[in-house]
Amino acid sequence: MKALHKKAAVLGGALLLTAFALPVARAQTPTPDAGNPPAAPPAAAPDQTTPPATTTPGTATPPPNATPATPVETPETPSDQGQNAPRSNRFRIGPAVGVFLPTSGKVRDRFGDTWFSIGIGLGSINPVSTKGTLALDLNLFYHERDGNRAFFAPLGLGYRIALAPGTNVIPYAGVSGDINFADITSNPDNVHNSFNVGVGASAFTGLNFGDTAFLEARYYALSSIKGFDLSGLNLQAGYRF
């Protein structure tokens, strides 16, 4: 009986101790509220395996595996191709036709008012350029009627300039200064095989068709030889093979 009362006293003391300790433990445990928010979890350390990309201000970063652009080459287009193209060095030959119309009535009466000529053109056609070119200038004229003959050959230096750039058809104009070699026979004027030298000049305009053909109109102003003024208009065309 005494032992039973002792166990009951021990059990009752344990219950009192437990009831006293539980409120104290609850008071010491922190409870989250508005004044004390829960601590944030620690931030994860940055991944050091991949270095951060850097971009220089004002430049664009190309995408990965991008192929650099290849500059496109534009074929050169020559300006003034017809004037700068290399000319053939081979000897060229072709037909030449012309008509000379003298302005002097005395020359027309003695030798004819229309002098036709058909011959052979030798050498390359004179080139023309927008910068102007100088070239030797020579033409031959001959006509006869009723036993009267007239031959003259103005030889000089001609200046030609292209009026517009082009590759095939090039208009041009020019002038020349000439020494005129002439041989005249006129029975009514008692002039026989009279070879003389005079002076003159000319102005002309025309078209060059590449370096193969040309058309030209030229006026010659020549000094009189033995009383004959050989001035006149010359129309000429030529082709070279």
Side-chain angles (χ1 to χ4, degrees):
M1 191 72 178
K2 186 184 289 187
L4 182 61
H5 286 290
K6 186 177 180 180
K7 288 183 179 179
V10 173
L11 180 60
L15 290 174
L16 291 175
L17 181 61
T18 301
F20 175 79
L22 184 58
V24 175
R26 288 180 178 178
Q28 294 179 353
T29 301
T31 300
D33 52 22
N36 297 301
D47 187 2
Q48 299 298 328
T49 58
T50 303
T54 58
T55 303
T56 303
T59 62
T61 303
N65 301 326
T67 302
T70 302
V72 179
E73 295 183 1
T74 303
E76 181 180 357
T77 302
S79 65
D80 212 357
Q81 182 179 0
Q83 301 172 23
N84 299 326
R87 297 172 60 85
S88 173
N89 292 325
R90 65 184 176 86
F91 180 75
R92 310 192 70 173
I93 188 172
V97 296
V99 58
F100 179 70
L101 307 173
T103 55
S104 169
K106 182 178 179 179
V107 172
R108 291 197 301 266
D109 291 341
R110 296 290 188 272
F111 311 110
D113 54 3
T114 303
W115 303 13
F116 290 101
S117 64
I118 299 177
I120 300 296
L122 304 176
S124 298
I125 292 174
N126 289 325
V128 292
S129 166
T130 53
K131 298 179 180 179
T133 57
L134 290 172
L136 188 66
D137 199 77
L138 172 65
N139 279 294
L140 307 176
F141 301 92
Y142 177 81
H143 206 262
E144 65 175 298
R145 187 174 69 175
D146 300 331
N148 303 315
R149 300 182 300 274
F151 166 83
F152 66 99
L155 171 65
L157 189 63
Y159 174 81
R160 289 171 170 80
I161 184 168
L163 301 179
T167 57
N168 292 322
V169 181
I170 306 176
Y172 66 91
V175 293
S176 71
D178 305 285
I179 298 176
N180 187 30
F181 302 93
D183 187 5
I184 296 176
T185 296
S186 177
N187 295 317
D189 301 291
N190 198 28
V191 177
H192 302 283
N193 297 323
S194 176
F195 180 81
N196 287 270
V197 177
V199 295
S202 74
F204 52 88
T205 184
L207 292 173
N208 266 14
F209 300 89
D211 60 352
T212 58
F214 75 95
L215 294 172
E216 184 177 280
R218 179 191 300 245
Y219 184 80
Y220 280 101
L222 303 173
S223 61
S224 295
I225 293 180
K226 292 296 182 179
F228 292 94
D229 182 359
L230 298 174
S231 301
L233 176 65
N234 184 48
L235 305 176
Q236 190 177 18
Y239 186 83
R240 300 290 187 273
F241 295 104

